[in-house]
Amino acid sequence: GRTSVHARVAHTWITSFGETDPVQAFRETASGYSLRGEYVRSTGLQLAGRSLDWLVSGGVAGFFGPNRDALGFDAVAEIGGGFELPVALSLGQSPARARVFAAYLRGEDVKGWTIGLNLPFW
């Protein structure tokens, strides 16, 4: 199987420019983090001559700093899974992976599902 862990921290400055009315001007900041892990393993099945893999993933993402709860929550956790299939984009290139997945989301005042389809395009 394949295991991966990804972490990210970001601080963003958002400033308006070129507004015709000074009332529309603004300057804000946002700080966020995420930690995500996944495990991928072969199903033992073939689809179009390629190995179909299953995956399980989980993670947490949120905001920090003075505006951390501007959306009404400051963190959300995710657990889910799906399937992926290697797809070659051109001859001689190592295959990228097409993926379908679903995950459950949970946080303070946050509950729901996300579904996704990742398709490589270069």
Side-chain angles (χ1 to χ4, degrees):
R2 240 177 29 248
T3 303
S4 65
V5 175
H6 305 275
R8 180 177 182 196
V9 175
H11 184 74
T12 306
W13 292 269
I14 305 165
T15 304
S16 63
F17 62 93
E19 54 280 319
T20 56
D21 185 343
V23 172
Q24 296 173 330
F26 67 91
R27 179 174 289 166
E28 291 292 332
T29 63
S31 299
Y33 66 89
S34 66
L35 178 63
R36 181 176 184 77
E38 69 181 26
Y39 179 74
V40 181
R41 189 168 179 124
S42 175
T43 61
L45 301 173
Q46 296 278 314
L47 185 61
R50 300 177 191 273
S51 174
L52 180 66
D53 297 339
W54 61 267
L55 65 103
V56 62
S57 65
V60 63
F63 303 98
F64 62 93
N67 297 331
R68 71 179 161 271
D69 57 0
L71 297 175
F73 66 94
D74 62 3
V76 64
E78 174 184 326
I79 182 105
F83 296 94
E84 70 176 24
L85 190 67
V87 291
L89 300 176
S90 65
L91 291 175
Q93 184 181 20
S94 61
R97 300 186 181 282
R99 178 181 282 193
V100 294
F101 62 92
Y104 177 69
L105 304 171
R106 185 75 175 147
E108 185 177 341
D109 296 327
V110 176
K111 181 170 45 170
W113 290 92
T114 183
I115 57 172
L117 173 64
N118 293 358
L119 297 172
F121 57 90
W122 78 79

